[in-house]
């Protein structure tokens, strides 16, 4: 992707879809890689107890170091950013030029949803926001990978975010799940986060050999013409292999079709971010 001017204030995007296995983690990790490699300072936040984004970057989810769990369940909101600073890991690989950091998940995060539910409504939804807001100065992009549910972790991510990126698998009934998600986003807009936008819908696992993929894209574009990104992420075995080596597609096979798609999608995210930046009150 091309280098261009970084946003003046870090943007927080969450990658959400309550449906499992649609490409949330693959999209978050690979966009983070292309953004970092092109010189943007990126923090990837793994908000899923499956810790797939954490292991996709080669970090052991069983390691006994602070993680997002400690950040969300630190005693008061006031020291959440201190807990975050302790938990952040630098992904120190030359290709990222020191620009890629990870706030990792851990197996403990599975309990966070239940523990947060016991906390007072009105504060429990804003833990992540309290932790991440101070880091807008340090990063150009903060990308939050959400779990496949609309529980408190996803609500925390939607409350903290400037915008949501929706990965949507090109499959039958994709639109129905999308409607459920957009209803939730409307509720969040009314209650928790009045400035939440949809940055875009990323169509994933596009199979050019079948009519179904093309039909699904057509149908989703019919309802969300401005939201759907132009880049269609193809179904690619290389994309699914990379995480098992703890590598992003940029490192594992930069000449693959999947890599080209995520490079192009990163360009679109940067372009839309510039527009969003122009409209976000500083
Ligand atoms: P979950 O809801 O469980 O968190 P997810 O939405 O994060 O899942 P991923 O983990 O990114 O989805 O992808 C689900 C599976 O599909 C993984 O095995 C991943 O490697 C594979 N996958 C994702 N995108 C592609 C693609 N474009 N081509 C082929 N396989 C893909
Ligand atoms: Mg995932």
């Amino acid at each position: 992707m091309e280098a261009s001017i970084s946003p003046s204030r870090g943007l927080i995007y969450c990658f959400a879809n309550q449906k499992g296995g649609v490409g949330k983690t693959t999209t978050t990790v690979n966009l983070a890689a292309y953004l970092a490699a092109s010189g943007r300072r990126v923090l990837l936040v793994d908000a899923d107890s499956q810790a797939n984004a954490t292991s996709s970057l080669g970090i052991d989810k069983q390691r006994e170091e602070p993680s997002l769990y400690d950040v969300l369940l630190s005693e008061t909101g006031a020291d959440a950013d201190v807990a975050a600073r302790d938990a952040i890991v630098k992904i120190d690989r030359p290709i990222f030029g020191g620009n890629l950091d990870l706030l990792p998940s851990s197996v403990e995060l599975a309990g966070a949803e239940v523990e947060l539910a016991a906390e007072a409504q009105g504060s429990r939804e804003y833990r992540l926001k309290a932790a991440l807001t101070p880091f807008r100065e340090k990063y150009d992009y903060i990308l939050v990978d959400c779990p496949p549910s609309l529980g408190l972790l996803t609500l925390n991510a939607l409350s903290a975010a400037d915008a949501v990126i929706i990965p949507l698998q090109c499959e039958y009934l994709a639109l129905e799940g999308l409607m459920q998600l957009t209803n939730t986003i409307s509720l969040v807009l009314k209650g928790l986060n009045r400035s939440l936008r949809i940055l875009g819908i990323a169509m994933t696992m596009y199979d050019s050999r079948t009519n179904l993929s093309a039909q699904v894209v057509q149908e989703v574009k019919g309802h969300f013409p401005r939201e759907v990104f132009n880049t269609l992420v193809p179904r690619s075995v290389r994309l699914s292999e990379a995480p098992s080596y703890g590598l992003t597609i940029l490192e594992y096979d930069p000449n693959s079709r999947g890599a080209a798609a995520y490079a192009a999608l990163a360009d679109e995210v940067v372009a839309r971010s510039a527009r969003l930046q122009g409209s976000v009150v500083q």
Side-chain angles (χ1 to χ4, degrees), residues 24-25 48 50 52 145-146:
K24 292 181 288 296
T25 302
D48 184 358
Q50 297 178 92
N52 292 337
D145 183 26
C146 291

Side-chain angles (χ1 to χ4, degrees), residues 72-95:
L72 295 176
L73 291 151
S74 65
E75 282 300 297
T76 65
D79 58 12
D81 57 321
V82 178
R85 204 165 303 132
D86 288 344
I88 288 171
V89 182
K90 181 156 286 302
I91 306 300
D92 213 354
R93 307 201 295 241
I95 198 159

Side-chain angles (χ1 to χ4, degrees), residues 16 32 88 124 138 151 160 162 179 187 201 237 263 281:
I88 288 171
R124 65 188 183 193
K138 188 167 180 221
D162 296 298
M179 292 303 184
L187 291 175
I201 298 171
V237 177
V281 180

Side-chain angles (χ1 to χ4, degrees), residues 4 9 17 37 74 83 98 126 149 177 181 185 187 195 208 211-212 221 232 249 252 259 268 271 282:
S4 72
R9 165 180 171 271
N17 189 331
S74 65
Y126 293 109
S149 79
L181 180 59
I185 292 171
L187 291 175
S195 53
S208 56
N211 289 332
L212 179 64
K221 274 189 176 165
L232 306 173
I249 197 67
Y252 181 64
E268 285 195 70
Q282 298 283 321

Side-chain angles (χ1 to χ4, degrees), residues 17 19-27 48 50 52 145-148 204-205 233-237 239-241 243 262:
N17 189 331
K19 193 162 186 323
V22 297
K24 292 181 288 296
T25 302
T26 306
T27 301
D48 184 358
Q50 297 178 92
N52 292 337
D145 183 26
C146 291
T204 65
M205 298 184 230
V233 179
R235 184 174 279 287
S236 144
V237 177
L239 282 172
S240 60
E241 287 170 347
Y262 278 113

